[in-house]
Amino acid sequence: MPQTVPTAAGYSPSFDYSTFQFDLSLLPEDYSPVGDQLGLKSSQIKQEACSPRPGSPTIYQSPPYQNGDLSLSPNYSHEGSSPGYPTSPYYVPRSPQSAQFYPISPEPSAKQPVKREKSLDLLAILQESRLLAESLGYREDSTDCTVPCTPPRSEEDIYNSLDADFLPKKEDTGVQAHPLLKEILFKEEPRSVSSNGSSSSSSSSTSSSTSSSPSPSCEFESNGSALRELLFKGVTRKENLGEMPDKLSELKVERSQEELVNPLQKEEQLFKDGQKSDHQLLREVLRDTSFQRKYNLRPVDLGGVGTGYVEDMEAGECVGDLAREQLEPVLSLAIQQLQKDFDNTCVALGIHPEPRRWSAADVAAWVQWARRQLQLPLVPLESFNVDGATLAALTEEEFCQRAPQCGSMLHAQLEIWKAAVEESPRNTLAASWSPAGVVQSPSSAVASPTIGNTTTTGNLKESPCTVDFSDDEDEDCASGQGASGGSAGGGKMRNGGSHIHLWQFLKELLQSPSVHGSCIRWLDRGKGVFKIEDSVRVARLWGKRKNRPAMNYDKLSRSIRQYYKKGIMKKTERSQRLVYQFCHPYCL
DNA sequence: CACAAGGAGTCGT
DNA sequence: ACGACTCCTTGTG
């Protein structure tokens, strides 16, 4: 099994499409919510969690969701208008794999109404993925240390693959690149059609279609229904779908004007008058419905509860097979990418994928990670001095009590995390993870990052070995530590640690400043900036570890530079000799 | 001269 | 297939 080190944004050469399968288990029906109060349902959170990674940070504008900016790629022009089909909730074309969970679009030949089949909230999934990626540290500000758990290579592959599959290649010129996925993930669709699938809705097309300014909420409102409830819970919760159009029109006109002025203010205004503004993260995730029409994703009536059920759909509303074929890989990519994101975050943080198995230290690590990724205000860590089981059982209100400023965000993030992890049968990391952080899988590809776990967790799980090995024995000790994951788990690394990654090895050295401080040291631990003081010696140590007597700094630095493309390291803001910088979360 | 940067081939897993 | 190693050229300070 190949070594699976997350790669950086935008450089990946290839993506293995063949591995994708639509993971139905990601869309469970029996999810037991934690803190499910008004509006936000855990099942929806789960669906949202199964979402793709959004844009490459250097290419796409990611709205700073934290401050409520709803701008979603305003410069990206919409093209193509799919044949009219009902809008509103979210329809996913049926496929052999996914049919049981998707509202079935009856084939012309089979004119039987489909009743109460569970639908997949595509919009939620795709949108959530974008913000989730940001929450995972993926920002367009590529100069910052923001390449996280997410393997950017895969992300880029998604884009490349999508382009290759669905659209002619375009020049990779900033926002012009990867139009399709961008369209799916970011662009708002100004027009919408009525929910009964028979005719286009004129009410929703006027304000937004004529404006290039971002107005995702308009589109959202025009689609109404469950998402509306989700995002504006309490405001429209009692509205059923049939009542929507009028109120939506009013709201839309009023809001669209505000949006032209200041989306942020509009957002705030919408939620004032006593309306809760919690679930901010998820709300912002669920704004864009543009891809529905573009890819023949027919919304379905989610019903008054907004659970994604469809009732009595009429025959003849089938979606083209081509659209299905196109959507499937998109969703598969999205889900797989998200799963990979979480896996990699677990690796980087050195925590078990399953939150309920977290120790108090794991919880602290996760909270710190979430705070950083979500750019949350100060989180009182002492309020979260609980184990994972306790944390997972906390309701949103309890989160808010413990962290008044950002409890809701943290709670939402944890819900997403839990949904993604728990519902992923392919989560081999969770399956193979041991409490000591030792991956028991014989696969070196899994075991390798585990080394990073113990090292990256640093003070949380630091092995005595890391602070205690001498110069010439350090490789042995370090390799032993790497192999054992900092515990007595015995060597999991084959060949006496030869499988260790260079970046892991460097972090090992960096974690023993008393021993190796003379040859490599942190310049800015928080940012992951370090300096190689003695290139010859570091290269020698590395060559010793890898049993490469001919290793020198030239080769070592070449390997380090390879990490630029993989998103493990990056060039420092100001180029300095022998100074490198880990990308987040590798610097943790 | 040391180092950065990156292309390209090779090798081991 | 992938990560790492190796060799190479070019450029910079």
Side-chain angles (χ1 to χ4, degrees):
Chain A
M1 184 170 176
Q3 294 169 330
T4 55
V5 176
T7 57
Y11 298 94
S12 172
S14 62
F15 187 86
D16 186 5
Y17 245 113
S18 63
T19 62
F20 282 108
Q21 295 180 351
F22 203 90
D23 196 344
L24 295 178
S25 66
L26 295 171
L27 308 168
E29 295 182 299
D30 58 347
Y31 184 70
S32 179
V34 175
D36 181 15
Q37 305 297 327
L38 291 175
L40 186 59
K41 301 203 171 296
S42 298
S43 59
Q44 291 169 326
I45 295 177
K46 259 188 212 168
Q47 294 170 351
E48 294 150 10
C50 305
S51 46
R53 258 194 86 81
S56 177
T58 58
I59 296 175
Y60 298 104
Q61 287 289 336
S62 299
Y65 55 90
Q66 196 174 8
N67 59 16
D69 186 347
L70 300 180
S71 301
L72 296 176
S73 301
N75 294 331
Y76 198 77
S77 65
H78 176 68
E79 62 162 12
S81 46
S82 304
Y85 52 83
T87 306
S88 171
Y90 309 97
Y91 172 76
V92 176
R94 180 177 49 173
S95 72
Q97 300 96 328
S98 60
Q100 66 183 95
F101 282 121
Y102 296 151
I104 292 177
S105 176
E107 301 293 343
S109 57
K111 303 254 178 194
Q112 296 179 348
V114 179
K115 296 194 177 185
R116 303 199 68 79
E117 291 218 15
K118 184 125 185 197
S119 71
L120 171 61
D121 192 334
L122 255 186
L123 176 145
I125 289 176
L126 294 173
Q127 278 287 51
E128 166 59 19
S129 71
R130 176 180 58 80
L131 292 182
L132 182 61
E134 289 186 10
S135 74
L136 296 174
Y138 213 91
R139 292 179 303 197
E140 56 193 343
D141 180 11
S142 61
T143 61
D144 195 2
C145 182
T146 54
V147 178
C149 51
T150 307
R153 176 191 61 194
S154 299
E155 175 186 41
E156 179 69 6
D157 290 337
I158 290 176
Y159 283 88
N160 291 335
S161 300
L162 288 169
D163 279 350
D165 287 347
F166 307 136
L167 290 176
K169 276 287 186 181
K170 290 184 179 180
E171 292 185 8
D172 190 339
T173 56
V175 296
Q176 298 292 336
H178 306 302
L180 177 110
L181 192 55
K182 177 170 184 174
E183 214 169 346
I184 294 176
L185 297 176
F186 297 99
K187 186 178 61 56
E188 70 229 71
E189 170 52 57
R191 291 151 297 184
S192 63
V193 292
S194 65
S195 58
N196 62 14
S198 59
S199 62
S200 295
S201 169
S202 59
S203 61
S204 62
S205 60
T206 51
S207 62
S208 54
S209 62
T210 56
S211 170
S212 62
S213 68
S215 57
S217 56
C218 286
E219 173 65 17
F220 163 76
E221 289 168 7
S222 68
N223 291 328
S225 139
L227 279 179
R228 181 186 176 89
E229 291 189 55
L230 194 70
L231 301 184
F232 305 98
K233 61 184 182 183
V235 181
T236 61
R237 185 163 188 74
K238 294 178 180 177
E239 295 180 350
N240 60 36
L241 193 62
E243 302 170 342
M244 288 255 171
D246 291 340
K247 295 185 178 180
L248 290 177
S249 299
E250 297 173 9
L251 246 178
K252 185 173 66 61
V253 171
E254 145 187 349
R255 292 188 61 193
S256 61
Q257 294 173 350
E258 297 173 1
E259 286 166 353
L260 292 176
V261 178
N262 188 338
L264 197 150
Q265 291 178 354
K266 172 189 63 59
E267 175 75 2
E268 292 177 352
Q269 180 145 356
L270 183 67
F271 291 105
K272 70 181 186 182
D273 300 328
Q275 303 303 333
K276 288 182 65 177
S277 62
D278 51 3
H279 296 315
Q280 183 176 349
L281 170 65
L282 289 166
R283 266 203 306 273
E284 303 216 8
V285 155
L286 302 175
R287 301 279 177 187
D288 187 8
T289 61
S290 59
F291 65 94
Q292 291 181 8
R293 283 182 61 261
K294 177 72 174 179
Y295 301 101
N296 281 336
L297 309 184
R298 184 185 55 188
V300 295
D301 185 354
L302 295 180
V305 197
T307 54
Y309 287 87
V310 57
E311 301 185 47
D312 294 328
M313 292 177 61
E314 293 296 326
E317 298 175 359
C318 62
V319 178
D321 292 337
L322 180 60
R324 298 177 187 173
E325 295 172 1
Q326 291 178 348
L327 184 64
E328 286 296 326
V330 173
L331 290 174
S332 298
L333 287 164
I335 292 171
Q336 184 179 16
Q337 187 60 41
L338 186 77
Q339 298 292 338
K340 194 181 293 184
D341 288 349
F342 282 113
D343 285 354
N344 290 326
T345 302
C346 292
V347 168
L349 295 179
I351 61 179
H352 193 281
E354 167 55 66
R356 293 175 182 84
R357 298 179 65 173
W358 290 348
S359 66
D362 295 337
V363 170
W366 179 84
V367 169
Q368 287 182 310
W369 168 82
R371 187 187 72 82
R372 176 183 298 206
Q373 300 310 317
L374 298 174
Q375 302 178 23
L376 299 176
L378 186 61
V379 177
L381 283 179
E382 63 276 7
S383 298
F384 291 94
N385 186 22
V386 296
D387 58 21
T390 304
L391 184 78
L394 292 180
T395 66
E396 182 184 354
E397 283 68 27
E398 290 171 322
F399 263 83
C400 293
Q401 290 172 1
R402 293 165 186 255
Q405 291 182 293
C406 54
S408 183
M409 297 279 285
L410 278 176
H411 179 261
Q413 180 74 10
L414 182 61
E415 289 297 297
I416 294 169
W417 182 290
K418 288 191 296 185
V421 171
E422 293 174 2
E423 305 307 323
S424 171
R426 58 146 289 279
N427 193 334
T428 55
L429 189 65
S432 59
W433 197 279
S434 76
V438 178
V439 177
Q440 295 165 350
S441 164
S443 167
S444 62
V446 184
S448 207
T450 310
I451 303 161
N453 297 345
T454 55
T455 56
T456 54
T457 36
N459 51 353
L460 294 178
K461 293 181 178 180
E462 189 169 42
S463 163
C465 190
T466 59
V467 295
D468 194 339
F469 40 86
S470 62
D471 191 11
D472 265 356
E473 284 93 11
D474 57 359
E475 303 94 28
D476 298 329
C477 187
S479 64
Q481 180 229 357
S484 63
S487 68
K492 294 292 185 290
M493 184 114 39
R494 291 173 290 184
N495 302 333
S498 65
H499 272 48
I500 189 174
H501 291 279
L502 174 58
W503 65 275
Q504 294 169 335
F505 176 77
L506 294 174
K507 291 197 69 174
E508 285 185 12
L509 299 184
L510 287 164
Q511 287 202 328
S512 56
S514 61
V515 179
H516 299 116
S518 60
C519 65
I520 185 172
R521 64 183 176 88
W522 291 111
L523 291 185
D524 188 331
R525 179 67 182 86
K527 292 182 178 179
V529 179
F530 66 95
K531 180 175 184 178
I532 296 176
E533 302 283 2
D534 187 340
S535 59
V536 175
R537 185 165 169 229
V538 170
R540 181 170 52 86
L541 292 173
W542 176 235
K544 217 170 177 182
R545 167 67 71 85
K546 298 287 288 187
N547 194 25
R548 292 276 182 175
M551 179 57 64
N552 55 29
Y553 179 74
D554 187 43
K555 298 169 184 173
L556 184 148
S557 64
R558 184 71 191 94
S559 294
I560 289 179
R561 289 195 295 274
Q562 292 288 352
Y563 288 149
Y564 294 158
K565 293 194 295 185
K566 299 171 183 174
I568 298 174
M569 289 187 189
K570 62 184 179 182
K571 299 172 186 176
T572 55
E573 293 181 4
R574 224 175 34 178
S575 181
Q576 293 177 270
R577 284 197 161 199
L578 299 175
V579 176
Y580 299 91
Q581 182 174 6
F582 283 102
C583 292
H584 189 82
Y586 300 95
C587 58
L588 295 179

